[in-house]
Amino acid sequence: SQTIHQWPATLVQPVGSPLSLECTVEGTSNPNLYWYRQAAGRGLQLLFYSVGIGQISSEVPQNLSASRPQDRQFILSSKKLLLSDSGFYLCAWSGGLGGYTFGSGTRLTVV
Amino acid sequence: DQQVKQNSPSLSVQEGRISILNCDYTNSMFDYFLWYKKYPAEGPTFLISISSIKDKNEDGRFTVFLNKSAKHLSLHIVPSQPGDSAVYFCAARSYSGANNLFFGTGTRLTVIP
């Protein structure tokens, strides 16, 4: 069966520090992968999606970047975090009964 | 432009009563609609869906209604239970493209014991 893993679960980082969040999918090949952010009191904002290795589409210009070095690996990065980068980050893949299947999320607090 | 809208950010309901969560959309080409449930510090999980060719889908205590002419769908939870307290996201799927699932802003449901 397909599973999606996302880590870390929580992260506290100082302003100006780098960021790397990782997401991996098991049990499927060539999935469409997505990074979302849920800011406090707000809905799900699509940040990036990828249809294949090295193929990244950005939905919102920002301080973040994404990479897909392997078929089932999706990484969200930043060179220098801002306070406004705080939020709950979710990885998802396009599959399963529910359209998208989400990871368990990463709570990022930039201090 | 927000293609899927949930105009009620929050809803409180007594345990045992009906919860009705609403969702409106603008794109008539959406062919599939879904509801997700999200607890704090967790990812959203799929709850129930409906195809655009139907007007109702029921799964236990959960029923989704679709009114295509009004571009409106609703989720009914009967009877509501305290464990149903969560944020509910409505989503609509377009028929093509990789970026094909559009989410509403969510409604926080609180079921009061």
Side-chain angles (χ1 to χ4, degrees):
Chain A
S1 64
Q2 301 92 350
T3 56
I4 181 168
H5 302 279
Q6 187 179 342
W7 67 92
T10 60
L11 192 59
V12 180
Q13 292 284 101
V15 168
S17 64
L19 172 74
S20 181
L21 302 181
E22 188 162 344
C23 172
T24 59
V25 180
E26 296 178 358
T28 186
S29 296
N30 197 31
N32 291 340
L33 297 172
Y34 307 83
W35 278 110
Y36 283 85
R37 175 171 59 199
Q38 183 187 19
R42 300 185 65 180
L44 298 173
Q45 180 186 33
L46 177 64
L47 303 175
F48 302 95
Y49 68 95
S50 171
V51 300
I53 296 174
Q55 300 179 63
I56 308 296
S57 296
S58 175
E59 288 296 299
V60 182
Q62 59 212 313
N63 185 43
L64 302 168
S65 62
S67 62
R68 186 165 175 179
Q70 300 181 46
D71 181 45
R72 287 170 284 180
Q73 184 185 31
F74 203 22
I75 298 172
L76 183 69
S77 304
S78 174
K79 293 182 179 179
K80 290 185 177 182
L81 284 168
L82 305 172
L83 286 173
S84 58
D85 292 323
S86 294
F88 192 63
Y89 289 83
L90 291 156
C91 179
W93 73 280
S94 177
L97 282 176
Y100 288 10
T101 301
F102 287 87
S104 53
T106 296
R107 168 72 60 195
L108 172 66
T109 304
V110 183
V111 296
Chain B
D1 184 30
Q2 191 77 25
Q3 298 191 54
V4 180
K5 298 178 182 179
Q6 294 175 256
N7 293 318
S8 297
S10 63
L11 174 68
S12 292
V13 172
Q14 287 290 134
E15 181 179 3
R17 306 296 289 269
I18 184 171
S19 294
I20 300 177
L21 294 91
N22 294 303
C23 178
D24 297 293
Y25 61 96
T26 57
N27 188 345
S28 59
M29 299 305 290
F30 288 141
D31 67 346
Y32 198 68
F33 302 89
L34 309 96
W35 285 94
Y36 290 82
K37 178 179 180 180
K38 184 185 180 299
Y39 292 118
E42 295 183 11
T45 55
F46 169 71
L47 184 59
I48 192 169
S49 62
I50 187 167
S51 167
S52 60
I53 62 173
K54 296 186 175 181
D55 55 16
K56 177 182 175 181
N57 187 28
E58 189 173 354
D59 183 3
R61 298 185 297 113
F62 302 91
T63 303
V64 56
F65 295 92
L66 176 63
N67 182 334
K68 287 181 63 179
S69 60
K71 295 191 179 67
H72 177 84
L73 67 156
S74 60
L75 174 68
H76 292 211
I77 306 174
V78 182
S80 301
Q81 299 174 354
D84 296 329
S85 297
V87 176
Y88 290 79
F89 289 99
C90 168
R93 189 184 73 182
S94 64
Y95 61 93
S96 66
N99 179 20
N100 64 351
L101 199 61
F102 298 86
F103 288 90
T105 51
T107 297
R108 180 177 301 279
L109 173 66
T110 302
V111 180
I112 304 165

